[in-house]
């Protein structure tokens, strides 16, 4: 296997008492598109934040190019973050700036390039996501899908080594979906970036990813190339890939049995009424 | 038993809140805006925090000065002492009312806006995305706002007192007929630079520090929800008003009692 850029070793992470990740290990190869799939609320966004150093694991290591992210000093962490970027699930555009300034922001912050060069770079990125005409709009004037594409343009503005995409396809029509899929793929191949794509969209992920991890119940339940995933017989993986609500992966957030709760509620109301 | 638990929990929460606030303050103070990138940011905030508070400061200052003159005149004229109207108004404004009322208005106008803005940036993940872009939000968002508050309030206070005195002149001299020359000259001889003006400035700097600190901290530390932001905004106004009033008492006791 090729070189590893991000290596997660025996990592455990908890939110208060709830275990989100229980001793998982996964590695993200350099120069490849790695997809992370899994049911909603399982902790995919959390995983990206752990890689970015915004959350600290209970135990275990998260290596980025050999550096253990949770143990870096604040300054070293900020230095390391210059080499990665993240597309937030919500877009997280700066609401007090135009689309243009949003995309120019990381370039202005981290380089001393002259403004005319910055303009060329920004227009290039805007053209790539089909928003050159929206350069002067405010983020509040964009639709959800447009905002996400603008955020995508911002996250690739500096061509970082590692890009973490949190649901890049959500809210896109089939045309822009295709554009984004090709964009992620071509950025990855042309510039030799490493991409991590978090998504539920099984066909898109199967088409774009070099390697796929499927997460459920605090664990990695399946991994492999798209071909291997498609052929896996594990019922957990089959259920997720085929999108069945009934199966070993629970669709529901952890709760008391439904029947019990309904009965309890009824009894309670009866008592109150009578 | 339950009470002890709650007492302990609230104490710990309060102490850890103070700790976080101190860390935030030290980090913001460590980042004096650097001239090239920081200065435009500071200017923006001076506009948002300072210039936009001008109207309320000037209007309130004028009315307070006018009311002071009216009240002062009716009392002083009974003793035939209306010549002291000038120093009475000036001293009340410069020593007390200027710093305190300007600070309370500033907390309501600028402090709440700072908290709400920073809180909303947190709720919409803008602060997180700054962090992920390797831009420290303390340097980029908190520091310029903090310094803008520190610079703005003392200047606004000076303006408040100045227009207050003009308002008093309007009522006392132009309307009620106190002699204009006396108004100014007695005021000049009675107001001492070090004892009155300097102490007033010190007060306004202390208030600026407390209000801006509370405002940026409440925004930065709020629950990233709409309820959390509204709570934080209210807390900013309530807490900074209480701090201003109690600190004013302490400062007055230190400055003006012998
Ligand atoms: N700030 C928070 N405080 C407490 N718990 C949280 C917080 N953020 C997320 N969680 C919990 O952590 C779990 C994982 O959340 P996460 O956002 O990583 O899910 P996700 O896999 O990205 O889901 P989705 O696909 O819906 O975006 C969720 O069950 C959620 O309840
Ligand atoms: Mg998510």
């Amino acid at each position: 296997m090729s070189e590893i850029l991000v290596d997660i070793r025996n990592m455990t992470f908890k939110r208060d008492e709830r275990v989100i990740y229980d001793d998982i290990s996964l590695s993200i190869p350099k120069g490849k598109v790695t997809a992370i799939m899994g049911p909603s609320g399982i902790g995919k966004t959390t995983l990206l934040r752990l890689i970015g150093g915004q959350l600290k694991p209970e135990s275990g290591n998260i290596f980025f190019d050999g550096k253990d992210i949770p143990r870096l000093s604040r300054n070293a962490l900020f230095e390391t973050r210059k080499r990665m970027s993240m597309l937030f699930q919500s877009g997280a555009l700066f609401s007090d700036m135009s689309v243009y300034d949003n995309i120019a922001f990381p370039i202005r912050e981290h380089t001393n390039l002259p403004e005319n060069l910055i303009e060329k770079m920004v227009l290039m990125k805007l053209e790539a996501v089909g928003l050159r005409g929206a350069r002067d709009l405010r983020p509040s004037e964009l639709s959800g899908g447009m905002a996400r594409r603008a955020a995508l343009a911002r996250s690739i503005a500096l061509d970082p080594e590692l890009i973490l995409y949190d649901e890049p396809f959500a809210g896109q029509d089939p045309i822009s979906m295709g554009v984004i899929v090709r964009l992620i793929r071509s950025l990855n191949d042309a510039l030799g970036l490493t991409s991590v794509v978090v998504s539920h969209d099984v066909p898109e992920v199967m088409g774009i990813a070099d390697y796929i991890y499927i997460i459920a119940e605090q664990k990695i339940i399946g991994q492999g190339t798209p071909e291997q995933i498609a052929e896996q017989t594990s019922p957990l993986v089959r259920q997720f890939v085929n999108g069945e609500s009934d199966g070993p992966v629970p669709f529901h957030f952890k709760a008391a049995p439904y029947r019990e709760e309904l009965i309890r509620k009824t009894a309670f109301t009866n008592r109150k009424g009578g | 038993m339950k009470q002890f638990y709650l007492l302990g929990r609230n104490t710990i929460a309060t102490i850890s809140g103070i700790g976080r606030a101190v860390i935030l303050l030290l980090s913001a103070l460590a980042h004096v805006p650097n001239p090239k990138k920081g200065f435009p940011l500071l200017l923006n905030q001076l506009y948002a925090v300072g210039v936009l508070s001008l109207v309320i400061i000037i209007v309130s200052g004028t009315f307070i000065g006018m009311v002071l003159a009216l009240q002062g005149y009716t009392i002083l004229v009974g003793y035939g002492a209306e010549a002291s109207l000038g120093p009475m108004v000036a001293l009340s404004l410069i020593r007390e009312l200027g710093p305190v009322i300007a600070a309370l208005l500033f907390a309501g106008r600028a402090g709440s806006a700072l908290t709400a803005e920073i809180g909303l940036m947190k709720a919409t993940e803008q602060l997180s995305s700054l962090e992920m872009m390797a831009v420290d939000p303390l340097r980029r968002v908190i520091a310029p706002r903090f310094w803008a508050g520190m610079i703005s309030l003392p200047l606004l206070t000076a303006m408040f007192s100045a227009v207050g005195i003009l308002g008093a002149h309007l009522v006392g001299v132009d309307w009620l007929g106190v002699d204009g020359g006396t108004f100014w000259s007695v005021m000049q001889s009675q107001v001492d630079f070090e004892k009155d003006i300097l102490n007033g400035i010190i007060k306004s700097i202390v208030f600026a520090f407390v209000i801006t600190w509370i405002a940026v901290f409440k925004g930065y530390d709020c629950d990233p929800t709409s309820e959390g932001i509204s709570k934080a905004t209210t807390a900013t106004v309530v807490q900074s008003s209480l701090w201003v009033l109690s600190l004013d008492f302490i400062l007055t006791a230190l400055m003006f009692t012998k």
Side-chain angles (χ1 to χ4, degrees), chain A residues 8-13 22-26 57-61:
Chain A
I8 297 179
R9 289 279 135 239
N10 307 103
M11 194 250 314
T12 299
F13 178 76
D22 185 14
D23 195 29
I24 68 158
S25 299
L26 62 84
E58 200 84 1
S59 63
N61 306 88

Side-chain angles (χ1 to χ4, degrees), chain A residues 15 18 20 39-46 89 167 200 253:
Chain A
R15 286 262 189 210
R18 228 172 88 228
I20 307 281
S40 176
I42 209 70
K44 304 181 297 298
T45 303
T46 307
Q89 201 165 0
E167 316 249 355
H200 310 287
F253 195 83

Side-chain angles (χ1 to χ4, degrees), chain B residues 89-121:
Chain B
V89 169
L91 288 177
S92 332
L93 279 170
I94 292 169
R95 286 178 174 186
E96 286 297 334
L97 295 176
V100 172
I101 299 184
L104 295 178
L105 293 171
F106 185 78
R109 167 66 187 75
S112 60
L114 280 179
T115 305
E117 189 194 13
I118 296 172
L120 202 63
M121 288 179 83

